[in-house]
Amino acid sequence: MTAPLDGIRVIDWTHVLAGPACSYYLGLLGAEVIKVEAIGRGDAMRHRGGTDNERAATGMSTAYLTQAAGKQAIALDLENSHGRSVFDKLLKSADVLVENHRPETLERLKLTEEQTRKINPRLIHCAMTGYGRDNDMSDAPAYDVNIQAISGLMAMTGTTETGPTRTGAPIIDYATGLAGALACTSALLQRQSTGIGAFVDVAMLEIAFSLMSSTITDYRLTGHAPTPRGNAANSRSPSSGVFDCATGQISLGVNEEKQFQALARVLNRAAWLKDPRFASDVARNVHAVELGAAMSEALKAKSALDWECQLMAAGVPCAMLRRLPEALELPAARQRGFATRGIAGFAGLPFKMGDNHDRKHDMPPRNIGDDTWSILRSLGYSHDEIDELHARGGVAGTTENAECL
């Protein structure tokens, strides 16, 4: 069975996380991905250390590896006329360009969406920036942590005691990558009927807003600005949230009447169902503090794991709080293999669609310019022309004999 994007060529001219993640997801869907890096250090994320400085020192940091597999690597100097001519040839051969450079950079390099369209009218040009086009912040630089701060997301997270808190993982980066991949596949589908390319404008700020969609609607219709609520459930149900147990903590999502009835029975508190304070959702909202105290007392009788087993068996939405190593051992994680089902055994797509992964393209992350020679040959350059490009500083990487220059 062929993969959905078999035959599609993607030029990945990106850096850091969101852009590389976008092209990685397209590669997981079957596209051929060619990563273009500057000669020298390449993508700065290659050297982003922290937990594994040895890998970072070699240009293979864990942050880089995550979304680098399955990509051919070419090193170009786009400020060099010879390197730029190669890049233009790549664009002519491509279906999609993914880039995450500020508009002022594209203007300087003469690679704006208008200019790439002239190079290849069928090209899907996906631009990923902090704040999108056509506004006074278009050229402002931004990382995940900046967008979490400016979007209001951090101000909603944590408690009044902790103050604003960043989420523990770069969720805006990866959500932006997913949104970019969705946009590119949509544009490719549209091209089937129009025959022409498209410009895809992805803004990280809007990705953050999309993750808060229902909260934004609530604010627009009620005027009540959200405040940090700690571990309270978004449903605002008094029987939902995170509770301490004899050991560990458990997250409850008890939002429906049948769920509350099942909860009361499992906790050996069937009397709650006839207690006027707790017998209806309206009454429970009025007596939320009392219900919370009663639930906390009941839950301390057993461990979070014991309650999870019993409550899940009774159909009550719940989950024991786990650290990542424990979470990756869950049957839903281990048996579906998300953490290893991507290219070269890295993380995969957050959905399954048949068995489309072609192991022939199971390419591990590459060093800077590892595939320069083979890519140039595929573009029609002769041996002598490739040597000339190297000599004039337009390209770098492997020669025909795979000797790194």
Side-chain angles (χ1 to χ4, degrees):
M1 184 182 295
T2 59
L5 296 185
D6 271 353
I8 297 297
R9 171 173 279 188
V10 175
I11 305 304
D12 173 356
W13 180 38
T14 69
H15 54 111
V16 193
L17 284 184
C22 174
S23 62
Y24 176 64
Y25 296 138
L26 295 173
L28 289 175
L29 291 170
E32 174 196 18
V33 181
I34 298 175
K35 183 170 180 65
V36 176
E37 295 178 86
I39 295 172
R41 283 175 64 82
D43 188 335
M45 191 56 66
R46 285 180 174 272
H47 311 280
R48 193 69 57 84
T51 58
D52 193 338
N53 292 326
E54 289 186 12
R55 283 192 175 90
T58 67
M60 286 289 177
S61 73
T62 56
Y64 174 76
L65 290 172
T66 306
Q67 53 279 322
K71 302 178 184 181
Q72 300 172 65
I74 186 171
L76 300 177
D77 181 356
L78 298 187
E79 307 271 6
N80 178 299
S81 61
H82 302 282
R84 173 56 192 270
S85 68
V86 172
F87 191 67
D88 286 0
K89 268 198 171 184
L90 278 173
L91 293 183
K92 288 177 182 177
S93 74
D95 298 284
V96 178
L97 166 66
V98 181
E99 54 88 5
N100 57 349
H101 300 273
R102 285 185 277 172
E104 62 184 18
T105 301
L106 301 183
E107 291 280 357
R108 178 172 57 80
L109 294 175
K110 295 181 172 56
L111 284 169
T112 64
E113 52 268 27
E114 291 83 6
Q115 290 159 327
T116 58
R117 176 67 63 84
K118 289 178 182 178
I119 295 171
N120 181 355
R122 288 176 53 81
L123 186 70
I124 308 301
H125 182 152
C126 177
M128 309 174 78
T129 57
Y131 305 99
R133 298 292 198 272
D134 305 321
N135 71 89
D136 292 342
M137 299 178 71
S138 292
D139 274 310
Y143 289 111
D144 177 285
V145 66
N146 308 129
I147 299 298
Q148 290 199 35
I150 203 170
S151 66
L153 181 60
M154 278 178 63
M156 292 169 51
T157 309
T159 67
T160 54
E161 290 76 22
T162 65
T165 303
R166 183 186 68 83
T167 59
I171 60 169
I172 304 301
D173 275 332
Y174 286 111
T176 300
L178 285 167
L182 171 63
C184 288
T185 53
S186 299
L188 286 167
L189 184 62
Q190 182 185 58
R191 193 182 69 175
Q192 289 184 359
S193 58
T194 65
I196 59 175
F199 177 62
V200 175
D201 180 3
V202 182
M204 295 174 72
L205 179 64
E206 293 180 351
I207 302 305
F209 287 155
S210 73
L211 298 177
M212 299 184 283
S213 292
S214 62
T215 305
I216 290 175
T217 300
D218 185 75
Y219 167 68
R220 291 185 61 243
L221 296 182
T222 68
H224 295 299
T227 56
R229 304 182 64 245
N231 291 323
N234 195 58
S235 66
R236 291 179 169 78
S237 169
S239 49
S240 294
V242 177
F243 297 85
D244 290 330
C245 302
T247 57
Q249 295 176 297
I250 193 164
S251 168
L252 298 179
V254 181
N255 301 316
E256 308 294 337
E257 189 62 36
K258 287 185 178 180
Q259 294 168 352
F260 182 77
Q261 293 172 6
L263 171 72
R265 294 188 180 100
V266 171
L267 296 184
N268 197 27
R269 297 294 192 276
W272 287 352
L273 305 179
K274 296 181 180 179
D275 188 322
R277 298 172 301 167
F278 309 144
S280 69
D281 58 347
V282 174
R284 290 192 290 273
N285 283 322
V286 172
H287 299 279
V289 174
E290 297 164 80
L291 177 60
M295 289 177 59
S296 294
E297 179 186 0
L299 288 164
K300 286 178 181 177
K302 296 181 181 180
S303 71
L305 183 59
D306 286 338
W307 285 129
E308 181 185 69
C309 294
Q310 294 182 45
L311 290 168
M312 278 190 174
V316 178
C318 67
M320 183 182 82
L321 266 70
R322 288 169 169 82
R323 297 177 65 249
L324 180 60
E326 299 171 287
L328 291 175
E329 292 302 316
L330 288 167
R334 182 165 37 79
Q335 293 169 12
R336 287 175 59 86
F338 167 81
T340 57
R341 71 170 178 246
I343 297 172
F346 289 93
L349 288 165
F351 59 84
K352 299 184 79 171
M353 187 172 63
D355 186 21
N356 289 329
H357 184 48
D358 184 351
R359 306 305 293 189
K360 291 184 297 184
H361 301 298
D362 207 9
M363 183 189 298
R366 309 286 279 165
N367 292 306
I368 300 170
D370 264 356
D371 305 290
T372 293
W373 188 86
S374 60
I375 292 170
L376 291 174
R377 289 292 290 148
S378 75
L379 291 174
Y381 288 95
S382 69
H383 294 244
D384 289 342
E385 288 172 326
I386 294 174
D387 288 342
E388 182 74 7
L389 288 168
H390 275 285
R392 293 185 177 276
V395 305
T398 52
T399 67
E400 181 178 2
N401 298 317
E403 295 172 351
C404 189
L405 299 182

